[in-house]
Amino acid sequence: MAHLPSIGSPADFARVFGVSRETIARLETYQALLERWSHVKDLVAPGTMSQIWYRHFTDSAQLIRLAPDARCWLDLGSGAGFPGLVVAILLKGTAGVRVGLVESNARKCAFLRDVARQTGAPVDIFPSRIQELATQNRVDNYDVVTARALAPLGELLELATPFFRSETVGLFLKGRTAADEVREASRRWDFVAELHESLTESEARIVEIRRLMPRRRS
């Protein structure tokens, strides 16, 4: 799928992604709650609220096409729920789907719970720092680990590696420096990487990471 023109409405989103009216209704509930909770600091940039269907919902939804068979997802540093909560809403009703949302900010967790309650999204919310969750016994075998605007790739892989198994895939939304971040991260980590064009920004990339392991020192 090539770079998309701006998706400015629920109808545009439904046409591009082929989702049901029920799913669109859940995303509209999400949008309304974002507007209601806009007082929470750093929930979303105020200038992006008018472009939510493109800048946030489409940007998140595009990850599903890269892992269409994945059932167990983990989103690191979820914030307002992008991309993890959007993925959960879109996959609601698919057998076996669960999406873990890791967020240490208590107010953002309260927002995530409110959206999950009102949309029925199949999520587990972990109100802790990523490093703390990694040491707990409730860590599952995840098919996909995601993150958006969380950290440079090298630091992100440090956070993500406890959740990787042999078949786990990382899908990380990155900007124009994605290729440079991959080169820098490869100094410390062994992995197979593929860069996918973003559907929402011509210079942005989705970094797909497989077979993640610390690089052995010679």
Side-chain angles (χ1 to χ4, degrees):
M1 189 181 293
H3 178 69
L4 294 172
S6 182
I7 294 175
S9 70
D12 292 339
F13 188 93
R15 172 178 49 80
V16 169
F17 290 101
V19 297
S20 67
R21 287 179 293 177
E22 292 79 8
T23 296
I24 291 298
R26 294 183 187 105
L27 289 172
E28 288 177 322
T29 296
Y30 193 172
Q31 178 183 21
L33 289 169
L34 268 174
E35 293 169 351
R36 187 181 307 169
W37 283 74
S38 61
H39 64 282
V40 176
K41 184 179 179 181
D42 298 328
L43 194 59
V44 293
T48 67
M49 284 298 296
S50 63
Q51 300 174 305
I52 187 170
W53 289 90
Y54 189 63
R55 290 286 298 275
H56 299 304
F57 290 170
T58 297
D59 198 43
S60 301
Q62 65 179 321
L63 296 186
I64 296 175
R65 68 190 172 96
L66 299 177
D69 298 322
R71 294 294 178 266
C72 193
W73 297 63
L74 183 70
D75 188 36
L76 304 179
S78 293
F82 310 124
L85 188 50
V86 174
V87 168
I89 290 173
L90 292 176
L91 294 180
K92 176 178 167 60
T94 302
V97 165
R98 296 299 298 179
V99 180
L101 308 177
V102 187
E103 176 53 55
S104 62
N105 182 284
R107 289 187 178 182
K108 292 177 182 178
C109 283
F111 168 75
L112 294 173
R113 291 190 191 97
D114 197 10
V115 177
R117 179 177 59 83
Q118 296 200 40
T119 63
V123 299
D124 299 305
I125 298 169
F126 301 115
S128 64
R129 299 181 69 229
I130 298 165
Q131 298 91 330
E132 294 169 353
L133 180 65
T135 64
Q136 297 174 9
N137 293 328
R138 59 184 176 183
V139 172
D140 293 320
N141 290 325
Y142 293 102
D143 300 318
V144 180
V145 177
T146 64
R148 182 197 196 205
L150 180 61
L153 186 63
E155 296 177 25
L156 183 53
L157 296 181
E158 178 75 36
L159 295 170
T161 190
F163 308 106
F164 265 71
R165 303 296 182 263
S166 60
E167 300 301 319
T168 303
V169 178
L171 295 176
F172 305 122
L173 291 154
K174 287 290 181 180
R176 65 183 66 181
T177 64
D180 293 334
E181 291 188 38
V182 169
R183 283 191 291 270
E184 181 65 27
S186 67
R187 297 180 180 181
R188 184 176 175 190
W189 300 94
D190 280 323
F191 51 78
V192 176
E194 185 173 356
L195 270 60
H196 302 275
E197 291 187 5
S198 170
L199 301 183
T200 58
E201 295 184 47
S202 60
E203 295 186 347
R205 294 292 182 268
I206 301 164
V207 180
E208 178 180 340
I209 298 290
R210 295 178 182 269
R211 303 177 191 171
L212 175 63
M213 295 181 63
R215 180 175 289 279
R216 294 182 179 179
R217 297 186 178 183
S218 55

